[in-house]
Amino acid sequence: MKNEKKAVALKYPEGAAAPLLVASGKGRLAEKMLEIAEREKIPMVKNAELADFLTLQELGSVIPQETWEIVAKIFAFFVDLKKS
């Protein structure tokens, strides 16, 4: 399904080389992940291409190096937002 909703959750533990993929879902599972994130006030960003790519990765793995730059920008945005 081309228009199927997708969602991923990342975590960047201290000492990790890069963020880890801790959750991934498509369709109804993605919708549920987004509902929980909204309810719990977990910061979210919409990036369909990144979600498409990351949903193909193995859970618990470090995100692929080709995504480091965009993910770093997303994490930096949330850090700046938290400071405001």
Side-chain angles (χ1 to χ4, degrees):
M1 266 186 195
K2 185 174 175 145
N3 294 326
E4 184 177 43
K5 193 170 278 193
K6 296 176 184 172
V8 297
L10 304 177
K11 183 176 185 173
Y12 199 171
E14 189 173 327
L20 304 175
L21 181 64
V22 295
S24 175
K26 298 177 184 178
R28 181 66 188 127
L29 180 56
E31 290 172 14
K32 190 66 174 170
M33 289 171 64
L34 296 170
E35 289 171 16
I36 292 168
E38 187 173 330
R39 183 180 68 234
E40 299 298 323
K41 297 180 175 43
I42 297 170
M44 296 182 280
V45 67
K46 184 177 180 177
N47 185 315
E49 279 185 13
L50 184 59
D52 285 345
F53 186 71
L54 291 178
T55 55
L56 300 174
Q57 308 307 310
E58 186 176 333
L59 285 180
S61 65
V62 171
I63 61 170
Q65 190 169 359
E66 56 263 46
T67 64
W68 287 7
E69 185 176 348
I70 186 64
V71 171
K73 289 178 181 179
I74 293 168
F75 272 82
F77 171 78
F78 288 128
V79 168
D80 287 345
L81 191 64
K82 209 173 186 181
K83 290 179 183 176
S84 302

